[in-house]
Amino acid sequence: MSELKSGAKVYYHCYVTNAHANKWIYARIAGTETEGWVFGDKSTLDSGTLARCQG
């Protein structure tokens, strides 16, 4: 995913945790078709819950 501007709205889909215990979130930038992985420590979740990615 390209670098996000501060305050950009992002739709989170799911997350994975790698071998180093880092959380990565699969997401899409609102209003676009740009999607990809976001490092979990650099993002916040305003509401709802985030599910672990399946498969």
Side-chain angles (χ1 to χ4, degrees):
M1 183 178 289
S2 59
E3 187 169 332
L4 297 172
K5 293 181 182 177
S6 179
K9 187 171 188 173
V10 176
Y11 296 114
Y12 293 157
H13 296 285
C14 59
Y15 75 93
V16 295
T17 304
N18 68 13
H20 302 285
N22 296 317
K23 183 182 282 186
W24 287 88
I25 301 166
Y26 195 76
R28 180 177 57 84
I29 301 172
T32 74
E33 293 185 20
T34 302
E35 56 186 36
W37 293 99
V38 178
F39 186 60
D41 288 350
K42 299 292 184 183
S43 60
T44 59
L45 183 62
D46 290 336
S47 64
T49 59
L50 189 59
R52 182 176 294 276
C53 298
Q54 301 297 315

